[in-house]
Amino acid sequence: MNLFFEDVEVGAHYVTDAHEITSADIADFCRLTRDHHPLHTDEAYAKAAGFGGIIAHGLYGLSLMEGLKTELKLYEETSIASLGWNNVRFVKPILAGDTVRVEMEFTAKRASASRPAGVITEAVRLMRGDEVVIDAEHISLIRQKG
């Protein structure tokens, strides 16, 4: 799609394809980040802590949100930089076997004062069925057409 700043419509809503979280995904994230807390590696421990099984790291969910959003190819050649994530809330645990998707909506935009680009704001939610699992705001810098 390759949205430029001028193409972004505040209120536009997008939904990604679904993705199933696997135990292997969680294990890979443990290995990459060196975070081997038993909530992410030991099913009995996670169940004793009140979960239905091992849970994914909140940061895995946040990273997955960006990856799924990238698959929409909204800014394939127009993205300049992520400026950060705000108001990140890990609302519900993510378990191996969950199927999730991302729902996002443009909530604001403004031209950059220093370059031919614009700052856009997205409300981004990781969803499991009708449940919000992670809720966050993402700010990005994308190219203008000029």
Side-chain angles (χ1 to χ4, degrees):
M1 191 175 299
N2 257 340
L3 295 175
F4 286 86
F5 173 73
E6 295 85 348
D7 302 322
V8 170
E9 293 183 29
V10 173
H13 185 262
Y14 300 87
V15 178
T16 70
D17 288 337
H19 174 77
E20 183 178 352
I21 308 294
T22 67
S23 296
D25 293 337
I26 297 169
D28 285 344
F29 197 82
C30 287
R31 183 183 53 76
L32 288 171
T33 62
R34 302 175 55 90
D35 179 352
H36 297 277
H37 189 280
L39 285 173
H40 312 303
T41 61
D42 184 331
E43 188 160 347
Y45 181 93
K47 284 183 176 180
F51 300 102
I54 63 167
I55 61 172
H57 309 68
L59 292 175
Y60 168 74
L62 188 63
S63 298
L64 181 61
M65 289 168 71
E66 182 63 19
L68 290 172
K69 201 166 58 83
T70 299
E71 289 179 350
L72 293 172
K73 298 188 182 295
L74 296 177
Y75 330 106
E76 196 72 7
E77 298 171 11
T78 57
S79 176
I80 298 171
S82 170
L83 301 178
W85 291 83
N86 298 323
N87 305 316
V88 176
R89 297 291 175 260
F90 303 123
V91 180
K92 303 229 181 219
I94 303 168
L95 284 81
D98 283 352
T99 298
V100 297
R101 71 184 182 285
V102 168
E103 293 184 5
M104 66 160 278
E105 178 181 345
F106 292 119
T107 58
K109 66 186 248 186
R110 67 175 174 78
S112 171
S114 62
R115 59 186 344 181
V119 177
I120 59 171
T121 304
E122 307 159 340
V124 188
R125 290 171 205 85
L126 188 66
M127 304 294 294
R128 176 180 52 225
D130 292 332
E131 292 182 300
V132 176
V133 178
I134 299 176
D135 189 22
E137 178 181 78
H138 184 234
I139 313 296
S140 293
L141 185 68
I142 64 170
R143 297 184 196 291
Q144 288 184 350
K145 289 181 180 176

